[in-house]
Amino acid sequence: MTKKARHISEDAPEKKENLEDWFSRFPDDILIHIISGLTLKEAARTSVLSSRWKYLWTFTTSLDFDKKVKYMSFPPDYKQSKYISWVNKVLELHRGSRINQFRICFRLDAKHKCNITNWVNTAIAKNVRNFELDLSPGTYDNYYEIPQECYKNLQSGCGLSGIKSLRSLTLCAVNVTGEVVEFFIHNCPLLENLRITQSPDLLSLKVVGSSIPLKCLDIQFCYSIKEIEISAPNLLSFKYIGQDINLHVGSLPQLVDVVFHVTPVVQKMHCIGSIVSYLPQLKTLELDGCNEVFAQFSQREFPKLMNLNISFTAANQETLLGLSFIMKACPFLEKLVLQIWNNGRRIGKKRHQISKHSHQHLKLVELQGFNGREIDFELAFYVFENATMLEKMIIKPSGSRKRTTLKNSTNMLKAKLPRGVKLTVGSCDF
């Protein structure tokens, strides 16, 4: 061993001892805070550091039971059994009186009702702040449903005190009614984020109240829902993905972010109207639809909109007209994403007169599903001609395009690319 190697080897125990001494100066609550930033597996490993650390991890405030567990090649029942045993074991060992994050993320359903309900009760008893119960994809005709006795317990004094600290609630593949969801909305004074997905029993939802603290509302794939009413002074973000609904929009003075995808497209014009007519303060908007829907942009202006994501269906000349309406209505737009797809259906009469609208702020445009069709090039060229401050265009081709076709498309785009604009096609930069 060289002199330098011996010197390093001799210093190593001393450095380790100094590190341990440095950590030993911290009180337990600081160490628990550090441990809470680790995964459960990493947190449990700290128990071998010393006798002092042996049980510190059991006070962690972050119980994130993600689905990245072993046995993934085994049968579903075996995997579910292992997952349930893991969660139960950790909760049995947990000594903390409060939980900042409690996250269940695994495919479970009603046949695991007893265990899931116990987990819910444990989280509430420990004043959980951020609660996520993600059982997706679940089993459609056998979703877990919060038992009536559990719901009654929530309405009691003990249950109410347990949800007073709740700031974020996510329920995926969990069957809940509008009554239950509205109960949380009106009885959790700190609830800011609410996400509900895949809930067949959710038929309607009313988010109305001057004192509701909710800032983000996300409803997805609840295909039985028929009606949503929203009037919340603090709401910043609204996301809806699902079938056509009756959407009633009241006072939303703080709303700046909207994601809205409804099928079938031709039935959602009244929904889009209820959004764009009364919400000129939007900064981010994502939606899809036919050109008759986008024509509603022609009489309105979005002076604050900076990010726009649009899916076009039945791409044709009217698609180009819709793009011209959008660019005129959004003078301060900085990022535009166009998702292009064609279901072979034409909607409305074909129009040929496309007005030009010089755009001074648009810097980044992304065309997804580029297929080398005439309308794809027309959309790209329209942006080239009208976005005077464009810095970059990203082309994401359709996966079915052949390499030769893609090369020809790239050459056609490069031929009209304005000077100073960067072009990315697939994974290649030009």
Side-chain angles (χ1 to χ4, degrees):
M1 184 181 294
T2 65
K3 184 177 181 180
K4 183 177 181 181
R6 283 198 303 271
H7 180 71
I8 294 175
S9 179
E10 291 170 358
D11 285 351
E14 182 179 350
K15 289 182 178 180
K16 181 179 180 181
E17 184 177 350
N18 290 338
L19 183 61
E20 291 177 353
D21 289 342
W22 184 70
F23 268 108
S24 67
R25 298 174 186 173
F26 289 114
D28 286 355
D29 57 347
I30 297 297
L31 295 180
I32 292 171
H33 178 74
I34 294 173
I35 290 173
S36 297
L38 305 175
T39 65
L40 280 173
K41 187 176 181 179
E42 292 168 339
R45 284 175 177 173
T46 64
S47 64
V48 303
L49 294 177
S50 69
S51 58
R52 184 189 176 194
W53 285 78
K54 187 173 183 179
Y55 297 108
L56 278 178
W57 77 273
T58 64
F59 291 88
T60 179
T61 61
S62 178
L63 297 176
D64 185 355
F65 301 96
D66 65 36
K67 65 179 91 174
K68 296 176 182 177
V69 294
K70 296 180 181 180
Y71 319 110
M72 297 312 291
S73 60
F74 287 78
D77 289 346
Y78 182 82
K79 292 185 288 185
Q80 291 170 340
S81 176
K82 284 294 182 181
Y83 183 86
I84 291 171
S85 296
W86 174 43
V87 176
N88 287 339
K89 184 63 175 179
V90 172
L91 293 184
E92 180 185 344
L93 295 172
H94 191 259
R95 300 182 178 186
S97 60
R98 65 181 182 86
I99 300 175
N100 181 52
Q101 180 189 32
F102 188 92
R103 180 171 179 257
I104 296 293
C105 188
F106 204 80
R107 182 172 187 170
L108 301 171
D109 53 37
K111 66 175 177 285
H112 310 105
K113 175 181 177 180
C114 183
N115 285 292
I116 298 172
T117 302
N118 286 337
W119 301 341
V120 173
N121 289 333
T122 299
I124 293 173
K126 297 195 176 190
N127 300 293
V128 63
R129 291 186 177 183
N130 302 284
F131 182 81
E132 180 176 349
L133 186 58
D134 184 354
L135 309 181
S136 59
T139 306
Y140 184 78
D141 58 349
N142 200 32
Y143 282 141
Y144 169 77
E145 182 177 348
I146 297 177
Q148 191 63 29
E149 58 270 21
C150 181
Y151 180 46
K152 288 182 178 179
N153 179 59
L154 286 174
Q155 295 174 305
S156 67
C158 182
L160 285 173
S161 64
I163 61 175
K164 292 300 183 184
S165 300
L166 195 62
R167 287 170 166 78
S168 176
L169 175 63
T170 298
L171 300 175
C172 299
V174 176
N175 218 353
V176 290
T177 63
E179 178 188 351
V180 174
V181 177
E182 291 169 22
F183 168 81
F184 281 104
I185 292 173
H186 291 285
N187 289 279
C188 300
L190 301 178
L191 186 63
E192 294 184 346
N193 299 284
L194 176 62
R195 180 172 180 245
I196 309 293
T197 71
Q198 293 177 251
S199 181
D201 278 0
L202 187 61
L203 305 181
S204 64
L205 183 62
K206 189 174 183 179
V207 186
V208 177
S210 59
S211 61
I212 292 176
L214 201 63
K215 292 184 177 179
C216 300
L217 176 63
D218 185 348
I219 307 295
Q220 298 185 45
F221 311 119
C222 299
Y223 290 116
S224 299
I225 195 166
K226 302 298 182 183
E227 186 174 27
I228 296 179
E229 182 178 355
I230 311 173
S231 183
N234 298 299
L235 196 69
L236 298 173
S237 173
F238 173 54
K239 182 174 184 178
Y240 177 80
I241 300 177
Q243 292 184 327
D244 184 41
I245 58 170
N246 290 318
L247 178 63
H248 307 285
V249 177
S251 176
L252 299 172
Q254 303 296 323
L255 190 65
V256 294
D257 183 3
V258 169
V259 177
F260 200 83
H261 293 282
V262 173
T263 55
V265 170
V266 293
Q267 293 182 9
K268 72 170 191 173
M269 294 169 58
H270 63 281
C271 295
I272 297 299
S274 66
I275 292 177
V276 301
S277 298
Y278 308 105
L279 308 174
Q281 71 268 24
L282 292 181
K283 293 182 179 179
T284 300
L285 177 62
E286 179 179 333
L287 74 164
D288 52 12
C290 61
N291 292 98
E292 278 75 4
V293 171
F294 296 124
Q296 297 190 43
F297 281 76
S298 63
Q299 302 300 322
R300 302 175 179 89
E301 185 169 299
F302 292 75
K304 297 183 179 181
L305 196 64
M306 299 176 67
N307 297 286
L308 180 61
N309 187 318
I310 297 283
S311 295
F312 284 103
T313 182
N316 52 31
Q317 282 292 310
E318 292 183 4
T319 308
L320 195 58
L321 181 66
L323 176 59
S324 69
F325 288 157
I326 290 168
M327 293 188 69
K328 181 180 180 181
C330 311
F332 296 100
L333 194 65
E334 294 184 359
K335 180 181 178 181
L336 174 64
V337 178
L338 301 178
Q339 301 179 46
I340 310 166
W341 60 283
N342 194 338
N343 62 4
R345 183 180 61 204
R346 291 182 176 274
I347 303 177
K349 296 180 179 180
K350 188 173 180 179
R351 301 180 178 90
H352 298 279
Q353 297 298 323
I354 310 297
S355 302
K356 293 184 177 181
H357 301 289
S358 179
H359 206 290
Q360 308 296 324
H361 294 85
L362 190 58
K363 298 178 181 179
L364 174 63
V365 174
E366 183 174 319
L367 298 183
Q368 299 180 3
F370 194 93
N371 210 23
R373 297 165 298 187
E374 181 180 357
I375 186 60
D376 298 345
F377 286 107
E378 289 182 347
L379 289 170
F381 296 158
Y382 184 87
V383 172
F384 287 164
E385 295 172 2
N386 292 275
T388 59
M389 302 301 292
L390 186 66
E391 296 178 358
K392 186 175 184 178
M393 175 172 282
I394 300 174
I395 302 294
K396 293 189 175 181
S398 169
S400 62
R401 303 313 298 161
K402 295 181 179 179
R403 182 175 298 181
T404 304
T405 304
L406 183 59
K407 183 178 180 180
N408 293 337
S409 297
T410 301
N411 291 333
M412 292 179 65
L413 291 169
K414 287 170 62 178
K416 291 197 174 185
L417 188 69
R419 181 176 299 179
V421 177
K422 295 181 180 179
L423 176 65
T424 297
V425 180
S427 59
C428 300
D429 295 324
F430 301 94

